[in-house]
Amino acid sequence: MPSSAPPARLILGSSSVYRKELLSRLGLPFEVMTPDIDETALTGETPSATALRLAQQKAAAIAIRAPGALIIGSDQVATLDGEQIGKPGNHANAMLQLQKMRGREVVFHTALCLFDGRSDISSPQIQLENIQTFVTFRDLPDAELDAYLHIEQPYDCAGSAKNEGLGIAILEKITSNDPTALTGLPLIALTGMLRRANIAFFNT
């Protein structure tokens, strides 16, 4: 059991309401700040490398504005046959994504970064991890896929489905070592990182 450290300023570097809700489960006080970075994948970059790079860049961007803090950055990249699947942005693109993925397995790479700037901002302690989640989509007809999209409008979600909402009904199977990774913040990995950063969860 790690010893308790002096209170640390904990910041979630994300605008996602889902990540905020997940982090609140841990009972730790935290702030939310939105990073402003270019999330475009680099040419020839693997999906895992993209997710890890962006998670670290998000945390680093917040660290400039909040020196001395513990900062959580996270990013998710969905892939089908090794090719990245971005956020659809609109109904037509989302429909094309779901048509392509139905009856098939999609891999979600959820990268996590804990940026510890408490000691020295010029030489921070950085923990990185990529958690893979394997998701099989149900083989549903166009009418059902179209109806789902009109109801939930998941146009800001890579993969065009919100598993934390009605989107769970178009999924057939989810396999992951970290059950909250698919929603965007892998809490098993995060609590391990926070423990290594000497953050206590249970004060006895």
Side-chain angles (χ1 to χ4, degrees):
M1 177 71 69
S3 60
S4 180
R9 184 183 182 191
L10 183 64
I11 300 174
L12 174 63
S14 175
S15 60
S16 168
V17 295
Y18 306 110
R19 290 189 177 114
K20 180 180 178 181
E21 187 278 327
L22 287 170
L23 183 55
S24 68
R25 296 183 190 181
L26 302 184
L28 300 172
F30 69 93
E31 305 166 44
V32 175
M33 297 178 72
T34 302
D36 183 16
I37 67 167
D38 181 356
E39 298 188 30
T40 305
L42 302 178
T43 302
E45 192 174 41
T46 65
S48 60
T50 298
L52 287 165
R53 177 179 58 82
L54 293 178
Q56 184 169 350
Q57 286 185 354
K58 288 177 181 179
I62 299 299
I64 296 173
R65 295 151 52 190
L70 269 173
I71 303 162
I72 300 164
S74 187
D75 190 77
Q76 188 175 80
V77 175
T79 62
L80 178 64
D81 295 334
E83 294 186 9
Q84 296 193 27
I85 302 169
K87 298 175 182 178
N90 57 50
H91 184 91
N93 289 339
M95 189 66 182
L96 288 173
Q97 280 193 359
L98 292 182
Q99 288 171 330
K100 190 174 182 180
M101 296 184 301
R102 60 183 164 195
R104 304 182 68 189
E105 182 181 80
V106 176
V107 182
F108 288 80
H109 299 263
T110 307
L112 182 66
C113 174
L114 184 65
F115 185 108
D116 190 346
R118 290 176 297 179
S119 57
D120 185 357
I121 190 63
S122 65
S123 182
Q125 297 294 315
I126 296 174
Q127 299 183 57
L128 282 169
E129 189 171 346
N130 176 43
I131 293 86
Q132 293 187 43
T133 303
F134 302 88
V135 179
T136 302
F137 283 71
R138 294 185 185 277
D139 190 359
L140 300 177
D142 286 354
E144 286 197 49
L145 298 178
D146 184 65
Y148 162 69
L149 291 176
H150 279 294
I151 293 170
E152 198 152 60
Q153 301 183 11
Y155 308 138
D156 62 343
C157 298
S160 301
K162 295 182 179 180
N163 78 95
E164 62 279 357
L166 183 58
I168 199 71
I170 67 172
L171 306 181
E172 186 172 281
K173 184 171 66 172
I174 299 173
T175 304
S176 180
N177 291 329
D178 206 324
T180 59
L182 184 58
T183 307
L185 192 66
L187 292 182
I188 291 177
L190 178 59
T191 52
M193 289 182 177
L194 290 170
R195 284 177 176 275
R196 289 189 287 273
N198 211 28
I199 301 300
F201 293 94
F202 315 109
N203 293 315
T204 58

